[in-house]
Structure formats: C-alpha cells, structure tokens
Amino acid sequence: MDLYQLLYFQTLAKYQNFTRAADELALTQPALSRSIARLEEELGVPLFERKIRGVIVNQYGKSFLKHVNQILQEINIAKEEIKDMVDPFHGTVSLAFIHTLGSRFVPNLLGLFREQFPDIKFQLTQDTTQKILNHLESAEVDLAFCSPNELADHINTVPIVNEELFLIVPKNHSLAHREHVCLKEVANEPFVTYKHESGIRDVIERLCQSAGFQPSISFEGVEDATIAGLVASNFGVALIPLVAGLDMTKLSVLRVSEPVCRRMIYMAWRNNGYMSPTVRQFKTFVEERSGLAEFTPFHYNK
C-alpha cells in the first residue's frame, strides 16, 4: 500500500465513477482499476459495490475512507509546515470577523500589517459570532475576531476591542432630543435586536436585565443596517454598535449613562492545531497594537 493508492481510492470514492476519477488523476481507467484491485486484495475486502454506471462506497470503504482522509490531511499539513519553515514571510492568513469591524477596524489593521509584510495574503470571512466560531473549530479559518459568550476548551482568546453600544431611536421619539439616557427609560419600548447567533444578543439582554427589565422583541436580524432601518421606521428602539455607512438621517443616537453599555471583542484561535509562522506573526501584530483600546467607529451627530 502506498500514498498514490490512497489518493486514487479517495478520488474514486469522491466521484464514484472510474472514468471521472481517472480523468481527475490523469490516469488511464485500466491503471486506476488495477490500483484499486490491488488495494482491495491487500485489505482482504471489497471497498466498492460495482454498478452499471459507476461504483458505490460500501461499509468497508466508508470505514477505510475516514482514515485515508486523515492520513492525506496530515501529509498536507506536514507539507505546509515545511513550506512555512522555509519561507515564513510568504503565506496566507485566513481571518473571520464580525460585521461591525468590517468598515474600519479590520481594513485599517490589515493595511498597517501589509506595510511591513506586503507578500502575506489574507482570506477574509465576515459573519456572525456563532458561525465564525464554527468556522474556527472546523479549521476553516486560522483566527477570528468575534464576541463569544462561551468557548470550547480548545479555543483561546485575547481581548482586542472595547466597543461602545448606543441607543438609537426614531427622530420623532420622545427621547430623541436627549444626549444621554438611562436604559431603564426604554423598558416598555419594543426592541429591534440581533438574532442569538450574534454574540451581541446576549450582551444586550444582560444589559437590559441589569437595568431591571426583559426586552420585548419586535424583530431579530443579523445586519446592523437592517436594524437601524427598522428603528427609523418606528418598529422600536435598538442598542447597536455604530458602524460607518449606516443611514442615520431618520435616527437619533443616544449615549447610555446607566448601565455602561459596552461589549468586548476578542481574537480567538485553536490551541490544539498547527499555527503557521505567518499566522503567528499576524496574531502577535494584533496583540501588540490592539490591546483594550476603546472603539467608536465614527463621530456621531444627533
């Protein structure tokens, strides 16, 4: 049994057709058939059920495939490690981040980093905290900027942004002329807020509970612009982090004096997987420059 046999088996299991698998591997179909036959002979069991128009992976094949996938993945990881050891200044960082960081924080941070390391590339994903953590745990991304409330044992975090949350109300609201309010003053108002898959939802609910009430929800969304738009259309009030690009013409922005309305954003990474020198370099860069700086995306006007 050799590496090529494992690769041939994996490819045939993917396409379940000798002709398509052979084309993918740049082999002749008889050569692929002979390789699979030798593999089955060595294992002592058939790995596929032959059909008129292809093959189907049987129970032995499915069991074997799990291990083959792990073996080939480990080999790819080993190749990447060696490549990174040879040239740590040329690589790719896969980064996922929440929506509110996309207008200024992440672009500015990446711009500063690429001034020092222009040959390092980024693969960027923007999503909700829960989906970002799923991407992180499945090793689809290297690092994540998000606001988790609970973490798995194999995820480490460091705080990077202390972000203020503002109360937004329609221009015709009775509080619209105010600059500061207590959160309890809107205890009886309907709230436009985020879905639970967004880490900020739990933060908002805790702040409301701290103010002595449970918010009545009129709408749940994931996009800041949608929430701001519905508040402008008198669907309720909202606590949001302000991001550049929101249409604020029909809204009033109020600072909340009690309780203090802020949320922490973290950089997260897996502690049980390989981290390339390129990723480590960017991680250190973020830790050195972010700290616990307060982050208000733009100067707001009432």
Side-chain angles (χ1 to χ4, degrees):
M1 187 183 305
D2 60 35
L3 178 61
Y4 287 107
Q5 282 181 302
L6 300 183
L7 179 61
Y8 297 166
F9 165 73
Q10 184 190 57
T11 305
L12 182 57
K14 174 183 177 181
Y15 289 106
Q16 301 192 70
N17 181 280
F18 273 97
T19 301
R20 293 179 63 192
D23 289 343
E24 174 72 18
L25 295 164
L27 288 175
T28 64
Q29 187 172 330
L32 177 58
S33 297
R34 288 194 298 271
S35 178
I36 296 299
R38 287 195 299 270
L39 181 61
E40 291 177 323
E41 182 179 355
E42 182 174 349
L43 292 173
V45 293
L47 300 172
F48 299 93
E49 298 295 328
R50 271 63 174 178
K51 302 294 182 181
I52 296 176
R53 296 190 177 183
V55 295
I56 297 176
V57 184
N58 63 20
Q59 59 177 330
Y60 306 115
K62 289 178 180 178
S63 177
F64 188 57
L65 181 61
K66 290 189 296 185
H67 298 283
V68 170
N69 288 341
Q70 292 174 5
I71 291 168
L72 295 178
Q73 182 182 29
E74 285 297 321
I75 290 173
N76 287 332
I77 290 174
K79 290 179 179 178
E80 287 298 318
E81 286 189 24
I82 293 172
K83 180 181 177 182
D84 290 334
M85 290 172 65
V86 174
D87 190 0
F89 296 100
H90 292 74
T92 300
V93 179
S94 180
L95 172 67
F97 55 92
I98 56 178
H99 294 279
T100 55
L101 300 185
S103 61
R104 226 181 64 182
F105 181 82
V106 168
N108 289 351
L109 187 69
L110 299 192
L112 291 172
F113 181 76
R114 296 187 73 178
E115 287 179 5
Q116 297 185 34
F117 306 101
D119 295 320
I120 290 178
K121 299 178 181 178
F122 285 86
Q123 293 178 344
L124 303 177
T125 302
Q126 193 174 26
D127 219 320
T128 62
T129 287
Q130 188 54 57
K131 290 182 179 179
I132 287 172
L133 290 175
N134 291 340
H135 293 322
L136 185 63
E137 292 193 23
S138 61
E140 296 175 62
V141 299
D142 300 311
L143 297 170
F145 295 167
C146 56
S147 55
N149 296 297
E150 294 183 7
L151 289 171
D153 292 338
H154 59 278
I155 301 294
N156 284 353
T157 63
V158 60
I160 58 170
V161 172
N162 187 358
E163 186 176 50
E164 184 172 6
L165 304 182
F166 295 85
L167 182 72
I168 57 173
V169 300
K171 282 287 189 184
N172 60 0
H173 194 277
S174 61
L175 297 175
H177 65 286
R178 300 266 296 276
E179 292 187 1
H180 296 83
V181 295
C182 294
L183 191 57
K184 65 182 179 181
E185 294 182 67
V186 291
N188 297 321
E189 302 273 357
F191 268 70
V192 182
T193 192
Y194 300 83
K195 291 184 177 181
H196 281 287
E197 64 192 58
S198 300
I200 194 173
R201 171 63 178 271
D202 289 339
V203 175
I204 291 171
E205 289 191 347
R206 287 199 300 268
L207 289 170
C208 291
Q209 290 169 5
S210 177
F213 69 94
Q214 184 71 28
S216 173
I217 308 301
S218 64
F219 177 83
E220 297 176 323
V222 294
E223 295 285 348
D224 305 285
T226 301
I227 290 172
L230 289 173
V231 171
S233 298
N234 293 293
F235 275 76
V237 302
L239 274 176
I240 68 168
L242 296 185
V243 296
L246 291 181
D247 182 2
M248 307 304 292
T249 57
K250 298 181 181 180
L251 296 170
S252 286
V253 180
L254 314 175
R255 267 204 162 101
V256 181
S257 56
E258 186 182 347
V260 175
C261 289
R262 309 196 75 92
R263 62 127 170 211
M264 201 69 71
I265 296 173
Y266 298 84
M267 176 168 60
W269 65 93
R270 297 180 307 281
N271 59 29
N272 63 349
Y274 170 69
M275 182 179 290
S276 73
T278 303
V279 175
R280 288 186 182 278
Q281 198 156 235
F282 179 67
K283 174 177 171 289
T284 300
F285 180 89
V286 175
E287 290 172 332
E288 290 176 348
R289 283 156 182 78
S290 296
L292 286 177
E294 294 186 358
F295 178 53
T296 301
F298 64 96
H299 181 72
Y300 71 96
N301 295 310
K302 282 185 56 62

